Protein backbone atom coordinates (compact mmCIF):
# COMPACT_ATOMS: atom_id res chain seq x y z
CA UNK A 1 0.00 0.00 0.00
CA UNK A 2 1.33 3.42 -0.93
CA UNK A 3 2.03 5.65 2.07
CA UNK A 4 0.30 9.00 2.37
CA UNK A 5 3.08 11.49 3.01
CA UNK A 6 2.81 15.15 3.90
CA UNK A 7 3.92 17.40 1.06
CA UNK A 8 6.84 19.81 1.18
CA UNK A 9 6.93 22.47 -1.52
CA UNK A 10 10.23 23.97 -2.66
CA UNK A 11 10.44 26.88 -5.09
CA UNK A 12 13.44 26.48 -7.39
CA UNK A 13 14.27 29.92 -8.77
CA UNK A 14 16.61 29.65 -11.75
CA UNK A 15 17.23 30.64 -15.35
CA UNK A 16 17.15 27.19 -16.99
CA UNK A 17 13.74 26.12 -15.68
CA UNK A 18 12.39 25.40 -19.17
CA UNK A 19 14.82 22.47 -19.25
CA UNK A 20 14.42 20.67 -15.94
CA UNK A 21 17.30 18.30 -16.75
CA UNK A 22 19.61 21.28 -16.27
CA UNK A 23 18.97 20.87 -12.55
CA UNK A 24 19.00 17.06 -12.46
CA UNK A 25 21.56 16.78 -9.65
CA UNK A 26 19.77 19.46 -7.61
CA UNK A 27 16.43 17.69 -8.00
CA UNK A 28 17.94 14.37 -6.96
CA UNK A 29 19.48 15.96 -3.87
CA UNK A 30 16.10 17.47 -2.93
CA UNK A 31 14.45 14.09 -3.51
CA UNK A 32 16.99 12.29 -1.34
CA UNK A 33 16.43 14.78 1.48
CA UNK A 34 12.63 14.71 1.22
CA UNK A 35 12.51 10.90 1.26
CA UNK A 36 14.76 10.89 4.28
CA UNK A 37 12.33 13.22 6.04
CA UNK A 38 9.32 11.12 4.99
CA UNK A 39 7.88 13.91 2.89
CA UNK A 40 6.45 14.03 -0.61
CA UNK A 41 8.45 16.57 -2.60
CA UNK A 42 6.84 19.11 -4.91
CA UNK A 43 9.16 21.45 -6.80
CA UNK A 44 7.86 24.67 -8.30
CA UNK A 45 10.10 25.75 -11.17
CA UNK A 46 10.11 29.54 -11.31
CA UNK A 47 11.97 31.37 -14.04
CA UNK A 48 13.91 34.12 -12.30
CA UNK A 49 13.10 36.74 -14.94
CA UNK A 50 9.37 36.27 -14.26
CA UNK A 51 9.93 37.83 -10.82
CA UNK A 52 11.51 40.99 -12.21
CA UNK A 53 10.04 44.45 -12.71
CA UNK A 54 10.33 44.23 -16.51
CA UNK A 55 8.02 41.23 -16.54
CA UNK A 56 5.59 43.07 -14.27
CA UNK A 57 5.40 45.75 -16.95
CA UNK A 58 5.42 43.53 -20.06
CA UNK A 59 3.44 40.52 -18.82
CA UNK A 60 1.76 41.23 -15.47
CA UNK A 61 -0.10 37.90 -15.46
CA UNK A 62 3.13 35.92 -15.72
CA UNK A 63 4.70 38.15 -13.07
CA UNK A 64 1.89 37.66 -10.55
CA UNK A 65 1.69 33.93 -11.22
CA UNK A 66 5.42 33.60 -10.52
CA UNK A 67 5.15 35.53 -7.26
CA UNK A 68 2.09 33.54 -6.25
CA UNK A 69 4.08 30.33 -6.73
CA UNK A 70 7.00 31.68 -4.73
CA UNK A 71 4.77 32.75 -1.86
CA UNK A 72 3.05 29.34 -1.75
CA UNK A 73 6.31 27.43 -1.24
CA UNK A 74 7.61 26.15 2.08
CA UNK A 75 11.21 26.85 1.11
CA UNK A 76 13.29 28.56 -1.58
CA UNK A 77 16.29 27.23 -3.47
CA UNK A 78 18.48 29.33 -5.77
CA UNK A 79 20.91 27.02 -7.59
CA UNK A 80 24.13 27.70 -9.43
CA UNK A 81 24.50 29.24 -12.86
CA UNK A 82 26.37 31.80 -14.96
CA UNK A 83 25.55 35.10 -16.60
CA UNK A 84 23.45 38.12 -15.71
CA UNK A 85 20.06 37.01 -17.01
CA UNK A 86 17.60 36.51 -14.17
CA UNK A 87 19.92 37.84 -11.47
CA UNK A 88 17.52 40.55 -10.32
CA UNK A 89 14.73 37.99 -10.04
CA UNK A 90 16.91 35.73 -7.93
CA UNK A 91 17.83 38.64 -5.69
CA UNK A 92 14.15 39.56 -5.31
CA UNK A 93 13.30 35.98 -4.33
CA UNK A 94 16.13 35.94 -1.79
CA UNK A 95 15.02 39.24 -0.29
CA UNK A 96 11.54 37.80 0.13
CA UNK A 97 12.91 34.65 1.80
CA UNK A 98 15.10 36.71 4.11
CA UNK A 99 12.45 39.20 5.18
CA UNK A 100 9.64 36.63 5.47
CA UNK A 101 11.74 34.12 7.46
CA UNK A 102 11.26 31.55 4.70
CA UNK A 103 13.82 28.70 4.63
CA UNK A 104 16.41 29.42 1.94
CA UNK A 105 19.35 27.61 0.39
CA UNK A 106 21.68 29.25 -2.12
CA UNK A 107 24.13 27.14 -4.12
CA UNK A 108 27.24 28.74 -5.67
CA UNK A 109 25.72 31.68 -7.60
CA UNK A 110 22.83 31.45 -5.15
CA UNK A 111 25.23 32.29 -2.32
CA UNK A 112 26.65 35.18 -4.33
CA UNK A 113 23.16 36.55 -5.00
CA UNK A 114 22.39 36.32 -1.27
CA UNK A 115 25.50 38.39 -0.56
CA UNK A 116 24.48 41.00 -3.14
CA UNK A 117 20.93 41.18 -1.77
CA UNK A 118 22.16 41.63 1.80
CA UNK A 119 24.63 44.31 0.73
CA UNK A 120 21.95 46.29 -1.10
CA UNK A 121 19.11 46.09 1.39
CA UNK A 122 20.79 45.68 4.79
CA UNK A 123 24.15 47.39 4.34
CA UNK A 124 22.54 49.96 2.02
CA UNK A 125 25.15 49.60 -0.74
CA UNK A 126 22.52 50.30 -3.38
CA UNK A 127 24.86 49.59 -6.31
CA UNK A 128 26.29 46.37 -4.84
CA UNK A 129 26.88 43.69 -7.43
CA UNK A 130 29.26 41.06 -8.73
CA UNK A 131 32.13 42.00 -11.01
CA UNK A 132 30.68 39.34 -13.33
CA UNK A 133 27.70 41.61 -14.00
CA UNK A 134 28.69 45.22 -13.32
CA UNK A 135 31.76 47.39 -12.66
CA UNK A 136 30.19 49.11 -9.68
CA UNK A 137 31.74 50.75 -6.63
CA UNK A 138 30.73 48.00 -4.22
CA UNK A 139 31.82 44.77 -5.87
CA UNK A 140 30.90 42.39 -3.07
CA UNK A 141 31.54 39.42 -5.37
CA UNK A 142 34.73 39.35 -7.41
CA UNK A 143 36.63 37.15 -9.79
CA UNK A 144 39.17 35.06 -7.95
CA UNK A 145 42.36 37.14 -7.85
CA UNK A 146 44.66 34.49 -9.31
CA UNK A 147 42.62 34.46 -12.51
CA UNK A 148 43.06 36.79 -15.45
CA UNK A 149 39.90 38.92 -15.77
CA UNK A 150 38.07 38.33 -19.01
CA UNK A 151 39.79 35.04 -19.80
CA UNK A 152 37.18 32.31 -19.42
CA UNK A 153 39.14 29.17 -20.31
CA UNK A 154 40.61 26.95 -17.58
CA UNK A 155 40.00 29.53 -14.85
CA UNK A 156 37.41 27.77 -12.71
CA UNK A 157 37.99 26.48 -9.21
CA UNK A 158 37.07 22.86 -9.73
CA UNK A 159 37.00 19.63 -7.80
CA UNK A 160 37.17 18.54 -4.21
CA UNK A 161 38.17 21.21 -1.68
CA UNK A 162 38.21 21.38 2.10
CA UNK A 163 36.00 23.77 4.03
CA UNK A 164 36.84 24.51 7.68
CA UNK A 165 34.19 25.57 10.17
CA UNK A 166 35.37 28.66 12.06
CA UNK A 167 32.70 28.58 14.77
CA UNK A 168 30.85 26.01 16.85
CA UNK A 169 27.67 28.07 16.62
CA UNK A 170 26.56 26.92 13.18
CA UNK A 171 23.45 25.14 11.95
CA UNK A 172 25.31 23.74 8.95
CA UNK A 173 28.13 22.42 11.13
CA UNK A 174 25.57 20.51 13.21
CA UNK A 175 23.95 19.15 10.06
CA UNK A 176 27.33 17.77 9.00
CA UNK A 177 27.73 16.02 12.36
CA UNK A 178 29.67 18.74 14.20
CA UNK A 179 32.79 18.11 12.15
CA UNK A 180 35.73 20.51 12.10
CA UNK A 181 35.98 20.38 8.31
CA UNK A 182 34.26 18.87 5.29
CA UNK A 183 35.22 18.08 1.70
CA UNK A 184 32.86 19.13 -1.08
CA UNK A 185 33.11 19.65 -4.82
CA UNK A 186 33.45 23.10 -6.36
CA UNK A 187 32.76 24.67 -9.73
CA UNK A 188 33.01 28.44 -9.72
CA UNK A 189 34.97 31.41 -10.97
CA UNK A 190 33.74 34.17 -8.63
CA UNK A 191 33.78 34.50 -4.84
CA UNK A 192 32.78 36.82 -2.01
CA UNK A 193 35.06 39.85 -1.79
CA UNK A 194 37.05 39.33 1.45
CA UNK A 195 37.39 43.06 2.13
CA UNK A 196 33.67 43.23 2.98
CA UNK A 197 33.54 40.27 5.38
CA UNK A 198 33.89 42.28 8.58
CA UNK A 199 31.01 44.61 7.77
CA UNK A 200 28.82 41.69 6.66
CA UNK A 201 29.42 39.81 9.87
CA UNK A 202 28.77 42.84 12.06
CA UNK A 203 25.38 43.12 10.36
CA UNK A 204 24.47 39.47 11.03
CA UNK A 205 25.59 37.54 7.96
CA UNK A 206 28.12 35.03 9.29
CA UNK A 207 30.63 33.19 7.11
CA UNK A 208 30.88 30.05 9.21
CA UNK A 209 32.87 27.94 6.73
CA UNK A 210 36.05 29.05 5.00
CA UNK A 211 38.88 27.73 2.84
CA UNK A 212 42.25 26.49 4.06
CA UNK A 213 43.75 29.99 3.86
CA UNK A 214 40.68 31.59 5.51
CA UNK A 215 40.30 33.90 2.50
CA UNK A 216 37.48 32.17 0.60
CA UNK A 217 33.99 32.22 2.06
CA UNK A 218 32.44 28.78 1.67
CA UNK A 219 29.34 28.80 3.90
CA UNK A 220 27.16 31.68 5.08
CA UNK A 221 24.35 31.71 7.62
CA UNK A 222 22.06 34.52 8.65
CA UNK A 223 21.47 35.23 12.32
CA UNK A 224 17.90 35.18 13.65
CA UNK A 225 16.48 33.27 10.70
CA UNK A 226 15.02 29.73 10.72
CA UNK A 227 17.30 28.60 7.87
CA UNK A 228 19.13 31.01 5.60
CA UNK A 229 22.16 29.22 4.20
CA UNK A 230 24.45 29.73 1.22
CA UNK A 231 27.27 27.44 0.14
CA UNK A 232 29.90 28.20 -2.50
CA UNK A 233 30.32 24.54 -3.37
CA UNK A 234 27.87 22.07 -4.95
CA UNK A 235 26.71 19.65 -2.23
CA UNK A 236 24.28 17.96 -4.61
CA UNK A 237 27.21 16.31 -6.42
CA UNK A 238 27.76 13.79 -3.63
CA UNK A 239 24.20 13.40 -2.32
CA UNK A 240 22.97 9.80 -2.14
CA UNK A 241 19.55 8.25 -1.35
CA UNK A 242 20.72 6.87 2.01
CA UNK A 243 23.05 9.78 2.75
CA UNK A 244 21.40 13.00 1.61
CA UNK A 245 23.37 16.22 1.37
CA UNK A 246 23.46 18.08 4.69
CA UNK A 247 22.52 21.56 3.35
CA UNK A 248 19.61 20.12 1.34
CA UNK A 249 18.48 18.10 4.34
CA UNK A 250 18.52 21.25 6.42
CA UNK A 251 16.37 23.04 3.85
CA UNK A 252 13.77 20.27 3.81
CA UNK A 253 13.68 19.98 7.58
CA UNK A 254 13.31 23.74 7.94
CA UNK A 255 10.58 23.80 5.28
CA UNK A 256 8.75 21.10 7.27
CA UNK A 257 9.13 23.07 10.48
CA UNK A 258 11.22 20.30 12.04
CA UNK A 259 14.76 21.68 11.97
CA UNK A 260 14.72 23.15 15.46
CA UNK A 261 13.54 19.83 16.91
CA UNK A 262 16.20 17.95 15.00
CA UNK A 263 19.03 20.17 16.19
CA UNK A 264 17.74 20.02 19.76
CA UNK A 265 18.01 16.24 19.71
CA UNK A 266 21.47 16.43 18.18
CA UNK A 267 22.81 18.64 20.97
CA UNK A 268 21.57 16.16 23.56
CA UNK A 269 23.55 13.27 22.08
CA UNK A 270 27.19 12.40 22.58
CA UNK A 271 27.40 11.84 18.84
CA UNK A 272 24.95 12.96 16.14
CA UNK A 273 24.98 9.43 14.74
CA UNK A 274 23.48 8.12 17.99
CA UNK A 275 20.05 9.68 17.40
CA UNK A 276 17.31 7.10 17.93
CA UNK A 277 13.89 8.70 17.67
CA UNK A 278 10.94 6.44 17.00
CA UNK A 279 9.00 6.63 13.76
CA UNK A 280 6.96 8.23 12.32
CA UNK A 281 9.14 11.22 13.18
CA UNK A 282 10.76 12.54 9.95
CA UNK A 283 14.15 12.72 11.68
CA UNK A 284 14.32 9.17 13.04
CA UNK A 285 17.26 7.89 11.00
CA UNK A 286 20.25 7.27 13.22
CA UNK A 287 22.95 7.74 10.62
CA UNK A 288 21.67 10.75 8.73
CA UNK A 289 24.48 13.01 9.98
CA UNK A 290 27.29 10.71 8.94
CA UNK A 291 29.36 12.50 6.29
CA UNK A 292 32.55 11.10 4.82
Amino acid sequence: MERQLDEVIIALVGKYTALEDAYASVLKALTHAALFCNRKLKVLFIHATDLEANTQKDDPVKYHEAWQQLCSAHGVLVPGGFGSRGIEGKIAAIEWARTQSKPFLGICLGLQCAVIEFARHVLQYKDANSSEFDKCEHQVVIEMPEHNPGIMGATMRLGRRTTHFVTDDSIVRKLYGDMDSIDERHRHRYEVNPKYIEVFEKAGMKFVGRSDDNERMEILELENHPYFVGVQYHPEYISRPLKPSAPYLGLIWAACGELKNVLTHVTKQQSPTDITIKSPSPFSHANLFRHT
Side-chain angles (χ1 to χ4, degrees), residues 1 9 42 45 48 55 67 81 106 114 129 149 159 166 177-178 181 201 215-216 223 229 249 252 276 278-279 285 288:
M1 180 181 294
I9 304 172
K42 180 178 180 179
F45 293 92
T55 301
W67 275 101
N129 217 323
V166 296
D178 202 24
S181 64
E201 295 208 316
E215 289 295 315
R216 292 200 164 103
E223 289 182 335
V229 169
L249 194 57
I252 296 297
T276 53
K278 294 181 180 180
S279 295
H285 298 74
L288 62 98

mmCIF file of all heavy atoms in Angstrom, residues 1 9 42 45 48 55 67 81 106 114 129 149 159 166 177-178 181 201 215-216 223 229 249 252 276 278-279 285 288:
data_model
loop_
_atom_site.group_PDB
_atom_site.id
_atom_site.type_symbol
_atom_site.label_atom_id
_atom_site.label_comp_id
_atom_site.label_asym_id
_atom_site.label_seq_id
_atom_site.Cartn_x
_atom_site.Cartn_y
_atom_site.Cartn_z
ATOM 1 N N MET A 1 0.840 -1.193 0.000
ATOM 2 C CA MET A 1 0.000 0.000 0.000
ATOM 3 C C MET A 1 0.881 1.251 0.000
ATOM 4 O O MET A 1 1.841 1.331 0.756
ATOM 5 C CB MET A 1 -0.905 0.009 1.235
ATOM 6 C CG MET A 1 -1.817 1.236 1.300
ATOM 7 S SD MET A 1 -2.855 1.226 2.787
ATOM 8 C CE MET A 1 -3.862 -0.219 2.425
ATOM 9 N N ILE A 9 6.871 21.749 -0.243
ATOM 10 C CA ILE A 9 6.931 22.470 -1.516
ATOM 11 C C ILE A 9 8.162 23.368 -1.519
ATOM 12 O O ILE A 9 8.321 24.223 -0.646
ATOM 13 C CB ILE A 9 5.669 23.319 -1.736
ATOM 14 C CG1 ILE A 9 4.417 22.445 -1.651
ATOM 15 C CG2 ILE A 9 5.723 24.038 -3.080
ATOM 16 C CD1 ILE A 9 3.118 23.245 -1.654
ATOM 17 N N LYS A 42 7.394 18.400 -3.761
ATOM 18 C CA LYS A 42 6.844 19.112 -4.912
ATOM 19 C C LYS A 42 7.749 20.292 -5.204
ATOM 20 O O LYS A 42 7.997 21.115 -4.312
ATOM 21 C CB LYS A 42 5.420 19.593 -4.632
ATOM 22 C CG LYS A 42 4.798 20.342 -5.820
ATOM 23 C CD LYS A 42 3.369 20.764 -5.525
ATOM 24 C CE LYS A 42 2.751 21.516 -6.697
ATOM 25 N NZ LYS A 42 1.346 21.916 -6.426
ATOM 26 N N PHE A 45 9.041 25.158 -10.364
ATOM 27 C CA PHE A 45 10.100 25.749 -11.174
ATOM 28 C C PHE A 45 9.687 27.166 -11.559
ATOM 29 O O PHE A 45 8.714 27.376 -12.289
ATOM 30 C CB PHE A 45 10.344 24.915 -12.428
ATOM 31 C CG PHE A 45 10.921 23.558 -12.142
ATOM 32 C CD1 PHE A 45 10.090 22.459 -11.952
ATOM 33 C CD2 PHE A 45 12.288 23.377 -12.044
ATOM 34 C CE1 PHE A 45 10.615 21.209 -11.689
ATOM 35 C CE2 PHE A 45 12.834 22.132 -11.771
ATOM 36 C CZ PHE A 45 11.995 21.051 -11.594
ATOM 37 N N ALA A 48 13.532 32.938 -13.072
ATOM 38 C CA ALA A 48 13.912 34.119 -12.297
ATOM 39 C C ALA A 48 13.460 35.420 -12.948
ATOM 40 O O ALA A 48 13.053 36.366 -12.256
ATOM 41 C CB ALA A 48 15.429 34.123 -12.083
ATOM 42 N N THR A 55 9.124 42.146 -16.265
ATOM 43 C CA THR A 55 8.017 41.235 -16.537
ATOM 44 C C THR A 55 6.715 41.794 -15.985
ATOM 45 O O THR A 55 5.647 41.637 -16.594
ATOM 46 C CB THR A 55 8.304 39.850 -15.926
ATOM 47 O OG1 THR A 55 9.514 39.330 -16.483
ATOM 48 C CG2 THR A 55 7.164 38.877 -16.220
ATOM 49 N N TRP A 67 5.099 35.140 -8.671
ATOM 50 C CA TRP A 67 5.153 35.528 -7.265
ATOM 51 C C TRP A 67 4.176 34.728 -6.411
ATOM 52 O O TRP A 67 4.455 34.402 -5.250
ATOM 53 C CB TRP A 67 4.896 37.029 -7.120
ATOM 54 C CG TRP A 67 6.160 37.810 -7.309
ATOM 55 C CD1 TRP A 67 6.563 38.493 -8.420
ATOM 56 C CD2 TRP A 67 7.214 37.963 -6.343
ATOM 57 N NE1 TRP A 67 7.798 39.053 -8.212
ATOM 58 C CE2 TRP A 67 8.223 38.759 -6.942
ATOM 59 C CE3 TRP A 67 7.400 37.509 -5.049
ATOM 60 C CZ2 TRP A 67 9.401 39.093 -6.279
ATOM 61 C CZ3 TRP A 67 8.568 37.842 -4.367
ATOM 62 C CH2 TRP A 67 9.552 38.637 -4.995
ATOM 63 N N GLY A 81 24.705 28.810 -11.489
ATOM 64 C CA GLY A 81 24.505 29.244 -12.863
ATOM 65 C C GLY A 81 25.536 30.293 -13.236
ATOM 66 O O GLY A 81 26.398 30.656 -12.421
ATOM 67 N N GLY A 106 21.042 28.752 -0.916
ATOM 68 C CA GLY A 106 21.679 29.248 -2.125
ATOM 69 C C GLY A 106 22.914 28.426 -2.442
ATOM 70 O O GLY A 106 23.757 28.199 -1.564
ATOM 71 N N ALA A 114 22.780 36.020 -2.653
ATOM 72 C CA ALA A 114 22.391 36.325 -1.275
ATOM 73 C C ALA A 114 23.286 37.408 -0.692
ATOM 74 O O ALA A 114 22.819 38.294 0.044
ATOM 75 C CB ALA A 114 22.448 35.061 -0.424
ATOM 76 N N ASN A 129 27.052 44.667 -6.366
ATOM 77 C CA ASN A 129 26.883 43.688 -7.425
ATOM 78 C C ASN A 129 28.113 42.795 -7.478
ATOM 79 O O ASN A 129 29.043 42.930 -6.676
ATOM 80 C CB ASN A 129 26.659 44.372 -8.773
ATOM 81 C CG ASN A 129 25.668 43.620 -9.645
ATOM 82 O OD1 ASN A 129 25.655 42.388 -9.652
ATOM 83 N ND2 ASN A 129 24.849 44.351 -10.377
ATOM 84 N N PRO A 149 41.235 38.439 -15.439
ATOM 85 C CA PRO A 149 39.895 38.916 -15.773
ATOM 86 C C PRO A 149 39.634 38.879 -17.272
ATOM 87 O O PRO A 149 40.465 39.269 -18.072
ATOM 88 C CB PRO A 149 39.892 40.361 -15.244
ATOM 89 C CG PRO A 149 40.928 40.359 -14.163
ATOM 90 C CD PRO A 149 41.990 39.409 -14.637
ATOM 91 N N GLY A 159 36.629 20.841 -8.508
ATOM 92 C CA GLY A 159 37.000 19.630 -7.797
ATOM 93 C C GLY A 159 36.846 19.726 -6.287
ATOM 94 O O GLY A 159 36.326 20.689 -5.728
ATOM 95 N N VAL A 166 34.616 27.712 11.222
ATOM 96 C CA VAL A 166 35.367 28.658 12.058
ATOM 97 C C VAL A 166 34.617 29.011 13.331
ATOM 98 O O VAL A 166 35.070 29.857 14.109
ATOM 99 C CB VAL A 166 35.699 29.936 11.259
ATOM 100 C CG1 VAL A 166 36.614 29.610 10.087
ATOM 101 C CG2 VAL A 166 34.431 30.630 10.776
ATOM 102 N N GLY A 177 27.267 16.890 11.288
ATOM 103 C CA GLY A 177 27.728 16.022 12.362
ATOM 104 C C GLY A 177 28.767 16.659 13.247
ATOM 105 O O GLY A 177 29.588 15.957 13.846
ATOM 106 N N ASP A 178 28.752 17.996 13.337
ATOM 107 C CA ASP A 178 29.671 18.737 14.196
ATOM 108 C C ASP A 178 31.133 18.438 13.870
ATOM 109 O O ASP A 178 31.977 18.287 14.757
ATOM 110 C CB ASP A 178 29.388 18.438 15.675
ATOM 111 C CG ASP A 178 29.912 19.532 16.593
ATOM 112 O OD1 ASP A 178 30.070 20.674 16.118
ATOM 113 O OD2 ASP A 178 30.198 19.237 17.764
ATOM 114 N N SER A 181 35.831 20.040 9.725
ATOM 115 C CA SER A 181 35.977 20.385 8.311
ATOM 116 C C SER A 181 35.238 19.365 7.464
ATOM 117 O O SER A 181 34.936 18.253 7.919
ATOM 118 C CB SER A 181 37.459 20.431 7.903
ATOM 119 O OG SER A 181 38.050 19.142 8.023
ATOM 120 N N GLU A 201 29.600 40.562 8.639
ATOM 121 C CA GLU A 201 29.419 39.805 9.871
ATOM 122 C C GLU A 201 28.901 40.684 11.005
ATOM 123 O O GLU A 201 28.114 40.221 11.845
ATOM 124 C CB GLU A 201 30.724 39.112 10.253
ATOM 125 C CG GLU A 201 31.151 38.062 9.239
ATOM 126 C CD GLU A 201 31.969 36.944 9.827
ATOM 127 O OE1 GLU A 201 32.882 37.251 10.639
ATOM 128 O OE2 GLU A 201 31.690 35.772 9.494
ATOM 129 N N GLU A 215 40.599 32.777 3.378
ATOM 130 C CA GLU A 215 40.296 33.903 2.497
ATOM 131 C C GLU A 215 39.024 33.698 1.692
ATOM 132 O O GLU A 215 38.365 34.665 1.302
ATOM 133 C CB GLU A 215 41.470 34.143 1.543
ATOM 134 C CG GLU A 215 42.711 34.717 2.206
ATOM 135 C CD GLU A 215 42.473 36.109 2.765
ATOM 136 O OE1 GLU A 215 41.859 36.933 2.059
ATOM 137 O OE2 GLU A 215 42.869 36.367 3.913
ATOM 138 N N ARG A 216 38.657 32.456 1.421
ATOM 139 C CA ARG A 216 37.483 32.175 0.601
ATOM 140 C C ARG A 216 36.313 31.782 1.489
ATOM 141 O O ARG A 216 36.418 30.899 2.333
ATOM 142 C CB ARG A 216 37.785 31.072 -0.414
ATOM 143 C CG ARG A 216 38.765 31.531 -1.461
ATOM 144 C CD ARG A 216 38.715 30.661 -2.704
ATOM 145 N NE ARG A 216 39.367 31.352 -3.798
ATOM 146 C CZ ARG A 216 40.590 31.082 -4.239
ATOM 147 N NH1 ARG A 216 41.306 30.124 -3.678
ATOM 148 N NH2 ARG A 216 41.115 31.770 -5.241
ATOM 149 N N GLU A 223 21.942 35.262 10.936
ATOM 150 C CA GLU A 223 21.467 35.231 12.317
ATOM 151 C C GLU A 223 19.965 35.498 12.373
ATOM 152 O O GLU A 223 19.405 36.193 11.529
ATOM 153 C CB GLU A 223 22.194 36.285 13.156
ATOM 154 C CG GLU A 223 23.654 35.966 13.432
ATOM 155 C CD GLU A 223 24.302 37.017 14.317
ATOM 156 O OE1 GLU A 223 23.828 38.174 14.334
ATOM 157 O OE2 GLU A 223 25.293 36.669 14.990
ATOM 158 N N VAL A 229 20.843 29.822 4.393
ATOM 159 C CA VAL A 229 22.164 29.224 4.199
ATOM 160 C C VAL A 229 22.590 29.387 2.746
ATOM 161 O O VAL A 229 21.793 29.215 1.820
ATOM 162 C CB VAL A 229 22.142 27.724 4.572
ATOM 163 C CG1 VAL A 229 23.423 27.019 4.127
ATOM 164 C CG2 VAL A 229 21.939 27.555 6.075
ATOM 165 N N LEU A 249 19.251 18.670 3.243
ATOM 166 C CA LEU A 249 18.480 18.096 4.336
ATOM 167 C C LEU A 249 18.020 19.191 5.296
ATOM 168 O O LEU A 249 16.881 19.189 5.763
ATOM 169 C CB LEU A 249 19.342 17.061 5.072
ATOM 170 C CG LEU A 249 18.637 16.104 6.028
ATOM 171 C CD1 LEU A 249 17.547 15.319 5.317
ATOM 172 C CD2 LEU A 249 19.646 15.161 6.666
ATOM 173 N N ILE A 252 15.012 21.025 3.727
ATOM 174 C CA ILE A 252 13.767 20.275 3.810
ATOM 175 C C ILE A 252 13.244 20.245 5.239
ATOM 176 O O ILE A 252 12.050 20.467 5.488
ATOM 177 C CB ILE A 252 13.949 18.847 3.263
ATOM 178 C CG1 ILE A 252 14.298 18.885 1.767
ATOM 179 C CG2 ILE A 252 12.685 18.013 3.492
ATOM 180 C CD1 ILE A 252 13.222 19.469 0.877
ATOM 181 N N THR A 276 18.257 8.207 18.072
ATOM 182 C CA THR A 276 17.312 7.100 17.930
ATOM 183 C C THR A 276 15.941 7.591 18.350
ATOM 184 O O THR A 276 15.533 7.451 19.502
ATOM 185 C CB THR A 276 17.719 5.890 18.789
ATOM 186 O OG1 THR A 276 17.909 6.336 20.135
ATOM 187 C CG2 THR A 276 18.994 5.272 18.268
ATOM 188 N N LYS A 278 11.859 7.398 17.588
ATOM 189 C CA LYS A 278 10.943 6.439 17.004
ATOM 190 C C LYS A 278 10.157 7.045 15.853
ATOM 191 O O LYS A 278 9.774 8.204 15.890
ATOM 192 C CB LYS A 278 9.975 5.926 18.074
ATOM 193 C CG LYS A 278 10.657 5.116 19.176
ATOM 194 C CD LYS A 278 9.640 4.618 20.181
ATOM 195 C CE LYS A 278 10.331 3.804 21.283
ATOM 196 N NZ LYS A 278 9.356 3.310 22.284
ATOM 197 N N SER A 279 9.869 6.223 14.852
ATOM 198 C CA SER A 279 9.001 6.630 13.759
ATOM 199 C C SER A 279 7.606 6.883 14.328
ATOM 200 O O SER A 279 7.245 6.337 15.362
ATOM 201 C CB SER A 279 8.971 5.537 12.691
ATOM 202 O OG SER A 279 10.238 5.389 12.113
ATOM 203 N N HIS A 285 16.175 8.704 11.527
ATOM 204 C CA HIS A 285 17.258 7.889 10.996
ATOM 205 C C HIS A 285 18.539 8.155 11.775
ATOM 206 O O HIS A 285 19.014 9.269 11.846
ATOM 207 C CB HIS A 285 17.480 8.192 9.516
ATOM 208 C CG HIS A 285 16.278 7.872 8.681
ATOM 209 N ND1 HIS A 285 15.152 8.657 8.680
ATOM 210 C CD2 HIS A 285 16.021 6.836 7.848
ATOM 211 C CE1 HIS A 285 14.256 8.136 7.866
ATOM 212 N NE2 HIS A 285 14.756 7.039 7.351
ATOM 213 N N LEU A 288 21.850 9.731 9.758
ATOM 214 C CA LEU A 288 21.675 10.750 8.731
ATOM 215 C C LEU A 288 22.756 11.820 8.780
ATOM 216 O O LEU A 288 22.992 12.506 7.801
ATOM 217 C CB LEU A 288 20.310 11.405 8.865
ATOM 218 C CG LEU A 288 20.017 12.147 10.169
ATOM 219 C CD1 LEU A 288 20.263 13.636 9.933
ATOM 220 C CD2 LEU A 288 18.609 11.914 10.626
#
